[in-house]
């Protein structure tokens, strides 16, 4: 009886492992969720020295410019996931981000819930943001971050057709909600590892916390790099 019980438990564990591997794959040191053959990336290369600070931008142009100055001071590079509607009203700022050597990527056009959209609706929301960012920067963008991290298979399929990688994050500072610089710092840096994607926004408290975050990154033998650099592409 005991032997049969051990066999049942072993079989259950094997099934759980198979299901886990089918949902989460590890390719070249990158943790990815796999859906319909498309990748949704949460992590970069673990064999490098880079971590990526990712700024989702739909507001606070003044803070974006402050963030650029802080990044320059520390010799850091970041990826800015930009909303198309904001880019349309802030062309000069988008160009400034790009001119300073940072990566420009799409955050949709109107900050919609992509998890509730058809493939065509996803395309209609993402494609215009890609078009305007390409036009402003004179370079094709390759990354998309879904607002609020909401996506479905239709989102992944739409991005695949547009030649975009879908980017998530390994840690979220939740700076849009919690107006506490010390808390933002702790969330961004505690046990920070190579390859991580750190989600941020251009809030007042993030601007305040950013120098300390970059100091931590530097003092721990890491460097702030763009998402594409972190992915090795």
């Amino acid at each position: 009886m005991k032997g049969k019980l051990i066999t049942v438990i072993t079989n259950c564990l094997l099934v759980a492992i198979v299901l886990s591997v089918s949902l989460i794959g590890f390719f070249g040191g990158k943790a990815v969720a796999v859906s319909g053959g498309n990748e949704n990336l949460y992590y970069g290369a673990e064999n490098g020295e880079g971590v990526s600070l990712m700024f989702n931008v739909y507001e606070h142009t003044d803070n974006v410019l402050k963030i650029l100055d802080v990044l320059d001071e520390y010799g850091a590079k970041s990826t800015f996931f930009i909303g198309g509607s904001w880019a349309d009203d802030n062309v000069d700022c988008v160009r400034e981000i790009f001119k300073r050597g940072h990566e420009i990527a799409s955050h949709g056009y109107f900050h919609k819930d992509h998890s509730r959209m058809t493939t065509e609706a996803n395309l209609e929301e993402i494609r215009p943001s890609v078009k305007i960012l390409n036009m402003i920067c004179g370079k094709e963008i390759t990354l998309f971050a879904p607002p609020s991290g909401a996506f479905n298979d239709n989102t992944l399929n739409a991005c695949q057709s547009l030649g975009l990688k879908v980017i998530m994050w390994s840690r979220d500072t939740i700076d849009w909600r919690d107006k506490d610089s010390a808390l933002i710092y702790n969330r961004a840096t505690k046990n920070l590892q190579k390859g991580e994607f750190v989600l941020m926004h251009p809030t007042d408290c993030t601007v305040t916390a950013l120098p300390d975050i970059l100091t931590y990154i530097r003092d721990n033998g890491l460097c702030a790099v763009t998402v594409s650099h972190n992915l090795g592409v």
Side-chain angles (χ1 to χ4, degrees), residues 64-122:
V64 172
L65 294 172
K66 292 175 184 177
I67 287 169
L68 290 177
D69 288 341
V70 175
L71 293 172
D72 280 353
E73 181 181 348
Y74 284 80
K77 299 301 178 187
S78 295
T79 298
F80 289 77
F81 290 90
I82 294 175
S85 58
W86 180 86
D88 199 24
D89 294 330
N90 294 273
V91 172
D92 289 343
C93 189
V94 176
R95 284 193 179 128
E96 185 67 18
I97 296 170
F98 183 72
K99 186 177 76 172
R100 297 205 198 185
H102 303 290
E103 184 172 32
I104 302 292
S106 171
H107 198 40
Y109 202 89
F110 287 119
H111 205 277
K112 292 185 177 180
D113 182 351
H114 288 262
S115 68
R116 298 177 178 272
M117 294 181 179
T118 64
T119 299
E120 186 57 36
N122 269 281

Side-chain angles (χ1 to χ4, degrees), residues 4-22:
K4 289 182 178 180
L5 180 59
I6 292 173
T7 299
V8 170
I9 293 173
T10 301
N11 288 338
C12 288
L13 287 172
L14 286 172
V15 171
I17 291 169
V18 170
L19 288 173
S20 296
V21 171
S22 68

